[in-house]
Coordinates of all heavy atoms in Angstrom, one line a residue:
M1094 N 6.8 -24.4 1.2 CA 6.7 -24.0 -0.2 C 5.8 -22.7 -0.4 O 4.8 -22.7 0.2 CB 6.2 -25.1 -1.0 CG 6.2 -24.9 -2.5 SD 5.9 -26.4 -3.4 CE 4.6 -25.8 -4.5
I1095 N 6.3 -21.8 -1.1 CA 5.5 -20.6 -1.4 C 4.7 -20.7 -2.6 O 5.1 -21.1 -3.6 CB 6.5 -19.4 -1.6 CG1 7.3 -19.1 -0.3 CG2 5.7 -18.1 -2.0 CD1 8.3 -18.0 -0.4
A1096 N 3.4 -20.5 -2.4 CA 2.5 -20.5 -3.6 C 2.7 -19.3 -4.5 O 2.9 -18.2 -4.0 CB 1.0 -20.6 -3.1
T1097 N 2.7 -19.5 -5.7 CA 2.8 -18.4 -6.6 C 1.5 -18.2 -7.4 O 0.8 -19.1 -7.8 CB 4.0 -18.6 -7.6 OG1 3.8 -19.8 -8.3 CG2 5.3 -18.6 -6.9
K1098 N 1.2 -16.9 -7.7 CA 0.1 -16.6 -8.5 C 0.6 -15.6 -9.6 O 1.6 -14.9 -9.5 CB -1.0 -15.8 -7.7 CG -1.5 -16.6 -6.6 CD -2.5 -17.6 -7.0 CE -3.1 -18.4 -5.9 NZ -4.1 -19.3 -6.3
R1099 N -0.1 -15.6 -10.7 CA 0.3 -14.7 -11.8 C -0.7 -13.6 -11.9 O -1.9 -13.8 -11.7 CB 0.3 -15.5 -13.1 CG 1.4 -16.5 -13.2 CD 1.3 -17.2 -14.6 NE 2.3 -18.3 -14.6 CZ 3.4 -18.3 -15.2 NH1 3.7 -17.2 -15.9 NH2 4.2 -19.3 -15.2
L1100 N -0.2 -12.4 -12.2 CA -1.1 -11.2 -12.3 C -0.9 -10.7 -13.7 O 0.2 -10.5 -14.2 CB -0.7 -10.1 -11.3 CG -0.8 -10.4 -9.9 CD1 -0.2 -9.3 -9.1 CD2 -2.3 -10.6 -9.5
A1101 N -2.0 -10.5 -14.4 CA -1.9 -9.9 -15.8 C -1.9 -8.4 -15.6 O -2.7 -7.8 -15.0 CB -3.1 -10.4 -16.6
V1102 N -0.8 -7.8 -16.2 CA -0.7 -6.4 -16.3 C -0.3 -6.0 -17.7 O 0.2 -6.8 -18.5 CB 0.4 -5.9 -15.3 CG1 0.0 -6.2 -13.9 CG2 1.7 -6.4 -15.6
T1103 N -0.7 -4.7 -18.0 CA -0.4 -4.2 -19.3 C 1.1 -3.9 -19.4 O 1.8 -3.8 -18.4 CB -1.1 -3.0 -19.7 OG1 -0.8 -2.0 -18.7 CG2 -2.7 -3.2 -19.6
E1104 N 1.7 -3.8 -20.6 CA 3.1 -3.5 -20.8 C 3.4 -2.2 -20.1 O 4.5 -2.1 -19.4 CB 3.4 -3.4 -22.3 CG 3.6 -4.8 -22.9 CD 4.9 -5.5 -22.5 OE1 5.9 -4.9 -22.2 OE2 4.8 -6.7 -22.4
P1105 N 2.6 -1.1 -20.2 CA 3.0 0.2 -19.5 C 3.1 0.0 -18.0 O 3.9 0.5 -17.4 CB 1.9 1.1 -19.9 CG 1.3 0.6 -21.2 CD 1.4 -0.9 -21.1
V1106 N 2.2 -0.8 -17.4 CA 2.2 -1.0 -16.0 C 3.4 -1.8 -15.6 O 4.1 -1.5 -14.6 CB 0.9 -1.8 -15.5 CG1 1.0 -2.2 -14.1 CG2 -0.3 -0.8 -15.7
W1107 N 3.7 -2.8 -16.4 CA 4.9 -3.6 -16.1 C 6.2 -2.8 -16.2 O 7.1 -2.9 -15.3 CB 5.0 -4.8 -17.1 CG 6.2 -5.7 -16.8 CD1 6.2 -6.8 -16.0 CD2 7.5 -5.6 -17.3 NE1 7.5 -7.3 -15.9 CE2 8.3 -6.6 -16.8 CE3 8.1 -4.7 -18.2 CZ2 9.6 -6.8 -17.1 CZ3 9.5 -4.9 -18.5 CH2 10.2 -5.9 -17.9
A1108 N 6.2 -1.9 -17.2 CA 7.4 -1.0 -17.3 C 7.5 0.0 -16.1 O 8.6 0.2 -15.6 CB 7.3 -0.2 -18.6
E1109 N 6.4 0.5 -15.7 CA 6.4 1.4 -14.5 C 6.9 0.6 -13.3 O 7.7 1.2 -12.5 CB 5.0 2.0 -14.3 CG 4.6 3.0 -15.3 CD 5.3 4.3 -15.2 OE1 5.8 4.6 -14.1 OE2 5.2 5.1 -16.2
L1110 N 6.4 -0.6 -13.1 CA 6.8 -1.4 -11.9 C 8.3 -1.7 -12.0 O 9.0 -1.6 -11.0 CB 6.0 -2.7 -11.8 CG 4.6 -2.6 -11.3 CD1 3.9 -3.9 -11.5 CD2 4.5 -2.2 -9.9
S1111 N 8.8 -2.0 -13.2 CA 10.2 -2.3 -13.4 C 11.0 -1.1 -13.0 O 12.1 -1.2 -12.4 CB 10.5 -2.7 -14.8 OG 9.8 -4.0 -15.1
D1112 N 10.6 0.1 -13.4 CA 11.3 1.3 -13.1 C 11.4 1.6 -11.6 O 12.3 2.2 -11.1 CB 10.7 2.5 -13.8 CG 10.9 2.6 -15.3 OD1 11.8 1.8 -15.7 OD2 10.2 3.3 -16.0
L1113 N 10.3 1.2 -10.9 CA 10.3 1.4 -9.4 C 11.1 0.4 -8.6 O 11.5 0.6 -7.5 CB 8.8 1.3 -8.9 CG 7.9 2.4 -9.3 CD1 6.5 2.1 -8.9 CD2 8.4 3.8 -8.8
K1114 N 11.3 -0.8 -9.2 CA 12.0 -1.9 -8.6 C 13.5 -1.5 -8.4 O 14.2 -1.1 -9.3 CB 11.9 -3.1 -9.4 CG 12.1 -4.4 -8.7 CD 11.6 -5.6 -9.5 CE 12.4 -5.9 -10.7 NZ 13.7 -6.4 -10.6
R1115 N 14.0 -1.8 -7.2 CA 15.4 -1.5 -6.9 C 16.2 -2.7 -7.3 O 15.7 -3.8 -7.5 CB 15.6 -1.3 -5.4 CG 15.0 -0.1 -4.8 CD 15.3 0.0 -3.3 NE 14.3 0.9 -2.7 CZ 13.3 0.5 -2.0 NH1 13.1 -0.8 -1.8 NH2 12.4 1.4 -1.5
P1116 N 17.5 -2.5 -7.6 CA 18.4 -3.7 -8.0 C 18.3 -4.8 -6.9 O 18.4 -4.5 -5.7 CB 19.8 -3.1 -8.1 CG 19.6 -1.6 -8.3 CD 18.3 -1.3 -7.6
G1117 N 18.1 -6.0 -7.4 CA 18.0 -7.1 -6.5 C 16.7 -7.4 -5.8 O 16.4 -8.4 -5.1
E1118 N 15.7 -6.4 -6.0 CA 14.4 -6.5 -5.4 C 13.5 -7.3 -6.3 O 13.5 -7.1 -7.5 CB 13.8 -5.1 -5.1 CG 12.5 -5.1 -4.4 CD 12.0 -3.6 -4.2 OE1 12.3 -2.7 -5.0 OE2 11.4 -3.4 -3.1
T1119 N 12.7 -8.1 -5.7 CA 11.7 -8.9 -6.6 C 10.4 -8.1 -6.7 O 10.2 -7.1 -6.0 CB 11.4 -10.2 -5.9 OG1 10.7 -10.0 -4.7 CG2 12.6 -11.1 -5.6
F1120 N 9.7 -8.5 -7.7 CA 8.4 -7.8 -7.9 C 7.5 -8.0 -6.7 O 6.7 -7.2 -6.2 CB 7.7 -8.3 -9.2 CG 8.2 -7.6 -10.4 CD1 9.1 -8.3 -11.3 CD2 7.9 -6.3 -10.8 CE1 9.5 -7.8 -12.4 CE2 8.4 -5.8 -11.9 CZ 9.2 -6.5 -12.7
S1121 N 7.6 -9.2 -6.1 CA 6.8 -9.5 -4.9 C 7.2 -8.6 -3.7 O 6.3 -8.1 -3.0 CB 7.0 -11.0 -4.5 OG 6.2 -11.3 -3.4
Q1122 N 8.5 -8.4 -3.5 CA 8.9 -7.4 -2.5 C 8.4 -6.0 -2.8 O 8.0 -5.3 -1.9 CB 10.4 -7.5 -2.4 CG 11.0 -8.7 -1.8 CD 12.5 -8.9 -2.0 OE1 13.1 -8.4 -3.0 NE2 13.1 -9.6 -1.1
L1123 N 8.5 -5.6 -4.0 CA 8.1 -4.3 -4.4 C 6.6 -4.1 -4.1 O 6.1 -3.1 -3.5 CB 8.4 -4.0 -5.9 CG 7.8 -2.7 -6.5 CD1 8.3 -1.5 -5.8 CD2 8.0 -2.7 -8.0
L1124 N 5.8 -5.1 -4.5 CA 4.3 -5.0 -4.4 C 4.0 -5.0 -2.9 O 3.1 -4.3 -2.5 CB 3.7 -6.1 -5.1 CG 3.7 -6.0 -6.6 CD1 3.2 -7.2 -7.3 CD2 2.9 -4.7 -7.1
A1125 N 4.7 -5.8 -2.1 CA 4.4 -5.9 -0.7 C 4.7 -4.6 0.0 O 3.9 -4.1 0.8 CB 5.2 -7.0 0.0
E1126 N 5.7 -3.9 -0.4 CA 6.1 -2.6 0.1 C 5.0 -1.5 -0.3 O 4.6 -0.7 0.5 CB 7.4 -2.1 -0.4 CG 7.9 -0.8 0.1 CD 9.3 -0.4 -0.5 OE1 10.2 -1.3 -0.4 OE2 9.4 0.7 -1.0
M1127 N 4.6 -1.6 -1.5 CA 3.5 -0.7 -2.0 C 2.2 -0.9 -1.3 O 1.5 0.0 -1.0 CB 3.4 -0.9 -3.6 CG 4.6 -0.4 -4.4 SD 4.5 -0.9 -6.1 CE 3.3 0.3 -6.7
I1128 N 1.9 -2.2 -1.0 CA 0.7 -2.5 -0.3 C 0.7 -1.9 1.1 O -0.3 -1.3 1.6 CB 0.4 -4.0 -0.2 CG1 0.0 -4.5 -1.6 CG2 -0.6 -4.4 0.8 CD1 0.1 -6.0 -1.8
E1129 N 1.8 -2.0 1.8 CA 2.0 -1.5 3.2 C 1.8 0.1 3.1 O 1.2 0.6 4.0 CB 3.3 -1.9 3.8 CG 3.3 -3.3 4.3 CD 2.2 -3.6 5.2 OE1 2.0 -2.9 6.2 OE2 1.4 -4.6 5.0
R1130 N 2.5 0.7 2.1 CA 2.3 2.2 2.0 C 0.9 2.6 1.8 O 0.4 3.6 2.4 CB 3.2 2.7 0.9 CG 4.7 2.9 1.3 CD 5.4 3.8 0.4 NE 5.4 3.4 -1.0 CZ 6.3 2.7 -1.7 NH1 7.4 2.4 -1.0 NH2 6.1 2.3 -2.9
E1131 N 0.2 1.8 1.0 CA -1.2 2.2 0.7 C -2.1 2.0 1.9 O -3.0 2.8 2.2 CB -1.7 1.3 -0.5 CG -3.2 1.6 -0.8 CD -3.5 3.0 -1.3 OE1 -2.5 3.7 -1.8 OE2 -4.6 3.4 -1.3
K1132 N -1.9 0.9 2.7 CA -2.6 0.7 3.9 C -2.4 1.8 4.9 O -3.3 2.3 5.5 CB -2.2 -0.6 4.6 CG -2.7 -1.9 3.9 CD -2.2 -3.1 4.7 CE -2.6 -4.4 4.1 NZ -2.1 -5.5 4.8
K1133 N -1.1 2.3 5.1 CA -0.8 3.4 5.9 C -1.5 4.7 5.5 O -2.1 5.4 6.3 CB 0.7 3.6 6.1 CG 1.3 2.5 6.9 CD 2.8 2.6 6.9 CE 3.5 1.4 7.7 NZ 4.9 1.5 7.6
A1134 N -1.4 4.9 4.2 CA -2.1 6.1 3.6 C -3.6 6.1 3.8 O -4.2 7.1 4.2 CB -1.7 6.2 2.1
R1135 N -4.2 5.0 3.6 CA -5.6 4.9 3.9 C -6.0 5.1 5.3 O -7.0 5.7 5.7 CB -6.2 3.5 3.4 CG -6.2 3.4 1.9 CD -6.7 2.1 1.5 NE -6.6 1.9 0.0 CZ -7.3 1.0 -0.7 NH1 -8.0 0.1 -0.1 NH2 -7.1 0.9 -2.0
L1136 N -5.1 4.6 6.2 CA -5.4 4.8 7.7 C -5.3 6.2 8.0 O -6.1 6.8 8.8 CB -4.4 4.0 8.5 CG -4.4 4.1 10.0 CD1 -5.8 3.7 10.5 CD2 -3.3 3.4 10.7
V1137 N -4.3 6.9 7.5 CA -4.1 8.4 7.8 C -5.4 9.1 7.2 O -5.9 10.0 8.0 CB -2.8 8.9 7.1 CG1 -2.8 10.4 7.1 CG2 -1.6 8.3 7.8
V1138 N -5.8 8.8 6.1 CA -7.0 9.5 5.5 C -8.2 9.2 6.5 O -9.0 10.1 6.8 CB -7.3 9.0 4.1 CG1 -8.7 9.4 3.7 CG2 -6.3 9.5 3.1
H1139 N -8.4 7.9 6.9 CA -9.5 7.6 7.8 C -9.4 8.4 9.1 O -10.4 8.9 9.6 CB -9.5 6.1 8.0 CG -10.6 5.6 8.9 ND1 -11.9 5.7 8.5 CD2 -10.6 5.1 10.1 CE1 -12.7 5.2 9.5 NE2 -11.9 4.8 10.5
L1140 N -8.2 8.4 9.7 CA -8.0 9.1 11.0 C -8.3 10.6 10.8 O -8.9 11.2 11.7 CB -6.6 8.8 11.5 CG -6.4 7.4 12.0 CD1 -5.0 7.2 12.4 CD2 -7.3 7.0 13.1
K1141 N -7.9 11.1 9.7 CA -8.1 12.6 9.5 C -9.6 12.8 9.3 O -10.1 13.8 9.9 CB -7.4 13.0 8.2 CG -7.5 14.5 7.9 CD -6.7 15.0 6.8 CE -6.8 16.4 6.4 NZ -7.8 17.2 7.1
S1142 N -10.3 12.0 8.7 CA -11.8 12.2 8.5 C -12.4 12.1 9.9 O -13.4 12.9 10.2 CB -12.4 11.2 7.5 OG -12.4 9.9 8.1
I1143 N -12.0 11.2 10.7 CA -12.5 11.1 12.1 C -12.2 12.4 12.9 O -13.1 13.0 13.5 CB -12.0 9.9 12.8 CG1 -12.5 8.6 12.2 CG2 -12.3 9.9 14.3 CD1 -11.8 7.4 12.7
A1144 N -11.0 12.9 12.8 CA -10.6 14.1 13.5 C -11.4 15.3 13.0 O -11.7 16.2 13.8 CB -9.1 14.3 13.3
D1145 N -11.6 15.4 11.7 CA -12.3 16.5 11.1 C -13.8 16.5 11.5 O -14.4 17.6 11.6 CB -12.2 16.4 9.5 CG -10.8 16.8 9.0 OD1 -10.0 17.3 9.8 OD2 -10.5 16.5 7.9
E1146 N -14.4 15.4 11.7 CA -15.8 15.3 12.2 C -15.9 15.9 13.6 O -16.9 16.6 13.9 CB -16.3 13.9 12.2 CG -16.5 13.3 10.8 CD -16.8 11.8 10.8 OE1 -17.1 11.3 11.9 OE2 -16.8 11.2 9.7
G1147 N -14.9 15.7 14.4 CA -14.8 16.4 15.7 C -15.9 16.1 16.7 O -16.1 16.9 17.6
D1148 N -16.6 15.0 16.6 CA -17.7 14.7 17.5 C -17.1 13.7 18.5 O -17.3 12.5 18.5 CB -18.8 14.1 16.7 CG -20.1 14.0 17.6 OD1 -20.1 14.6 18.7 OD2 -21.0 13.3 17.2
F1149 N -16.4 14.2 19.5 CA -15.7 13.4 20.5 C -16.3 13.6 21.9 O -16.9 14.6 22.2 CB -14.2 13.8 20.6 CG -13.4 13.6 19.4 CD1 -13.2 14.6 18.5 CD2 -13.0 12.3 19.0 CE1 -12.5 14.5 17.4 CE2 -12.3 12.1 17.8 CZ -12.1 13.2 17.0
V1150 N -16.3 12.5 22.7 CA -16.8 12.6 24.0 C -15.6 12.4 25.0 O -14.8 11.5 24.8 CB -17.8 11.4 24.3 CG1 -18.2 11.4 25.7 CG2 -19.0 11.5 23.3
E1151 N -15.5 13.3 25.9 CA -14.4 13.2 26.9 C -14.6 12.0 27.8 O -15.7 11.8 28.4 CB -14.2 14.5 27.7 CG -13.0 14.5 28.5 CD -12.7 15.9 29.1 OE1 -13.2 16.9 28.5 OE2 -12.1 16.0 30.2
L1152 N -13.6 11.2 28.0 CA -13.7 10.1 28.9 C -13.1 10.5 30.3 O -12.1 11.2 30.4 CB -12.9 8.9 28.4 CG -13.4 8.3 27.0 CD1 -12.4 7.2 26.5 CD2 -14.8 7.8 27.2
P1153 N -13.7 10.0 31.4 CA -13.1 10.3 32.7 C -11.8 9.7 32.9 O -11.5 8.6 32.3 CB -14.2 9.8 33.7 CG -14.9 8.8 32.9 CD -14.9 9.2 31.5
P1154 N -10.9 10.3 33.7 CA -9.6 9.7 33.9 C -9.6 8.4 34.7 O -10.5 7.9 35.3 CB -8.8 10.7 34.7 CG -9.8 11.8 35.1 CD -11.1 11.5 34.4

């Protein structure tokens, strides 16, 4: 059994989410996809900040 939780959102947010949802897609599926995209975006930003610092030590082969 899947546990369900309710999220309170404003009407404008609900409307924006509805516009993003594909036919047949649930809000849960949409939000899961958005979460994955955000995690990847944050990882890219983090890796870029590490690369920009440029303080690396060469490891022997």
